[in-house]
Amino acid sequence: MKGLRLFCAAALASSLLLAGCGVTTPLVNPQEQSAPAQITQSQMHNAIIRAAQLRKWRIVSDQPGVVTLAYPGSAKAIHFEAIVKVTYDARRYKVSYVSSRGLDEKKGCVNPELKSKNKYDENAICIHRNVNRWMNNLNADILDALYR
């Protein structure tokens, strides 16, 4: 009976440890996007702000050519937050990760995109898997706002 309890405790502990694995993933910044030819820098800026508001990103700073945003823009930011910058001009924009808090950021992780046998990349930034999705959604909404 004592051995069964010990086995169950060990199984529970290992399952809790494994549950945390896979929550982080290598950070992948969205690719730079080109705008339609007739867009002005002001229209580009407005599309970025509109997309940020749609996705509930908080504007941290807004300077010509660079908008810094934080997600979430709600009370949840007390526990976790991702910060990105959107650099732009009249022809293109790029969403880039800056930093985070409470999202398990660490340097060095397994990168499945590497072709080598050893897929551990000491230079890769690993972060909670949702951060890539948040940045891609923001990126898609900016592009959508530009083409409206």
Side-chain angles (χ1 to χ4, degrees), residues 114-128:
L114 291 178
K115 304 283 188 241
S116 68
K117 207 174 208 182
N118 179 11
K119 294 186 183 247
Y120 183 80
D121 185 355
E122 63 187 32
N123 296 320
I125 295 174
C126 280
I127 190 97
H128 193 281

Side-chain angles (χ1 to χ4, degrees), residues 3-52:
L4 181 61
R5 280 190 206 164
L6 185 59
F7 174 77
C8 289
L12 179 63
S14 65
S15 68
L16 288 175
L17 286 173
L18 289 175
C21 294
V23 173
T24 62
T25 187
L27 176 72
V28 179
N29 286 311
Q31 290 184 345
E32 182 176 89
Q33 299 292 323
S34 296
Q38 68 276 16
I39 295 293
T40 66
Q41 187 158 339
S42 176
Q43 289 171 315
M44 178 71 80
H45 176 263
N46 291 340
I48 293 165
I49 298 302
R50 202 169 327 132

Side-chain angles (χ1 to χ4, degrees), residues 97-112:
Y97 174 82
V98 174
S99 65
S100 69
R101 178 177 38 81
L103 292 167
D104 303 328
E105 178 185 334
K106 64 180 179 178
K107 193 161 183 172
C109 60
V110 173
N111 188 347

